[in-house]
Amino acid sequence: MKITKPRLALICGILCISIFPILVKLRLTPGLISAFYRMFFAVVLLLPYVVLSKSFKLPSLKFVLLAMLCGVLFSSDVAVWNIAIQDSSATQASLLTNLSPVWVGIGSFLFLKSKPATNFWIGTIVSLFGMVTLVGFEFFIDLNFNQAFLFAVLSGILYSIYLLVSKNVLSQVDVLSFMTISLLASSVYLGILCYSLNEPFTGFSNTGWFVLVLQAVICQLCAWLSISYATQHMRATRVSLSLLSQAVITSILAWLFLEEKITLQMVFGGIVLLFGIRITFYDKTISLKRLFSK
């Protein structure tokens, strides 16, 4: 598989975003206010750069509104995912959120000119099997349909809509301008939401503030500038499915820093998941008829 700039950017983005569940597990700040500061600190850091470098280009009103919609969608995704992971477990929330490739595939089939290839659907099935194996079949069977469950599913749906809309916007708007508009919209939206729900904006420990800044710099700016660049040059379905590999990297980080166990079943599930992602990058279309006729 040839490593192109978009693919390299995607790999970097996945590595950066993989530490996010570890930081959320620390529970140093409430989930909703954590999402707000992730967006707010990111735009505070990004805005001076785009102004001083004159790299911000104001798109047409249509794409400004779409970029703002992306900001609301993505910040809503992060907010409900934070709440889901803090109210249940990272395993359950990650599993349900990572159903997003299915929603992206269906959305692409219904609304985009670029339809998912056969390899995508085969890779999706293999990757989802790997994901379920990674977290455990018994855990999947025992899922409770509580608020955390619904929020985790909602997170996956919001994220898939975000990917589809951002793919459309990034075809006409450069990455830095898109990120600036969407982050501004995210910050205002989450700020109003947190204020209306009486979320605490202060009173955190020094470690808590450090983690919030870390989320903004690594998990938001570095990760999503890279992923947005990849989305601009790659299929939305391929990007969404590749992000499943985040679960494997997060498991390794949890083992290193949170002393969570890694079993042979998790290793096997991770290998299957990554193999499913590799199928989607296979250039020649896989023919099921030819495969089963041999």
Side-chain angles (χ1 to χ4, degrees):
M1 183 175 66
K2 186 180 179 182
I3 301 296
T4 60
K5 285 184 179 179
R7 289 177 179 179
L8 186 60
L10 182 58
I11 292 169
C12 292
I14 290 169
L15 290 173
C16 290
I17 205 172
S18 295
I19 70 168
F20 182 64
I22 307 300
L23 299 177
V24 172
K25 281 185 181 181
L26 298 176
R27 298 180 66 92
L28 297 173
T29 57
L32 194 57
I33 204 71
S34 173
F36 163 72
Y37 276 117
R38 172 175 166 174
M39 306 301 165
F40 177 73
F41 286 150
V43 77
V44 166
L45 293 169
L46 181 63
L47 200 55
Y49 172 78
V50 297
V51 171
L52 292 174
S53 64
K54 298 180 180 179
S55 54
F56 179 79
K57 299 173 183 177
L58 186 66
S60 64
L61 180 60
K62 173 187 174 181
F63 287 102
V64 168
L65 293 175
L66 284 174
M68 290 173 65
L69 174 61
C70 286
V72 173
L73 287 169
F74 183 74
S75 57
S76 298
D77 162 39
V78 173
V80 297
W81 191 85
N82 282 6
I83 296 169
I85 200 172
Q86 290 189 346
D87 287 352
S88 58
S89 69
T91 304
Q92 176 175 318
S94 296
L95 170 63
L96 296 171
T97 299
N98 281 308
L99 290 174
S100 58
V102 178
W103 311 126
V104 171
I106 294 170
S108 298
F109 180 78
L110 294 174
F111 302 112
L112 296 184
K113 293 179 181 179
S114 177
K115 306 300 181 184
T118 304
N119 293 10
F120 167 78
W121 295 112
I122 296 172
T124 297
I125 294 169
V126 173
S127 293
L128 290 177
F129 176 77
M131 174 65 70
V132 175
T133 304
L134 180 70
V135 301
F137 293 97
E138 67 286 348
F139 194 93
F140 183 75
I141 294 169
D142 294 337
L143 285 177
N144 295 316
F145 294 89
N146 52 19
Q147 176 180 288
F149 175 92
L150 295 175
F151 273 21
V153 173
L154 178 60
S155 173
I157 294 173
L158 287 168
Y159 176 63
S160 62
I161 298 172
Y162 164 79
L163 272 181
L164 292 171
V165 177
S166 65
K167 176 66 177 176
N168 180 32
V169 178
L170 286 165
S171 65
Q172 301 293 327
V173 182
D174 67 278
V175 172
L176 284 175
S177 300
F178 167 75
M179 286 289 292
T180 303
I181 296 169
S182 63
L183 282 173
L184 279 169
S186 296
S187 301
V188 173
Y189 164 69
L190 285 177
I192 294 172
L193 187 61
C194 288
Y195 180 79
S196 63
L197 295 175
N198 295 317
E199 289 286 319
F201 284 86
T202 57
F204 312 127
S205 65
N206 291 335
T207 306
W209 285 113
F210 174 74
V211 167
L212 289 174
V213 174
L214 200 63
Q215 288 182 27
V217 175
I218 305 297
C219 306
Q220 187 61 41
L221 282 181
C222 295
W224 287 98
L225 282 171
S226 300
I227 292 171
S228 295
Y229 176 79
T231 303
Q232 190 177 43
H233 296 88
M234 298 170 65
R235 298 191 200 112
T237 49
R238 182 172 284 180
V239 172
S240 68
L241 193 59
S242 297
L243 289 174
L244 283 178
S245 60
Q246 171 201 334
V248 179
I249 301 169
T250 299
S251 297
I252 296 171
L253 292 174
W255 172 65
L256 289 173
F257 298 107
L258 301 178
E259 297 182 353
E260 293 191 359
K261 293 182 179 179
I262 293 183
T263 63
L264 286 175
Q265 177 179 313
M266 294 174 68
V267 173
F268 175 73
I271 292 171
V272 173
L273 188 153
L274 293 173
F275 177 67
I277 294 171
R278 178 64 185 90
I279 291 174
T280 68
F281 283 86
Y282 188 61
D283 294 328
K284 295 181 180 179
T285 302
I286 298 172
S287 174
L288 293 177
K289 186 184 292 185
R290 194 187 314 155
L291 190 65
F292 288 111
S293 63
K294 291 183 179 180

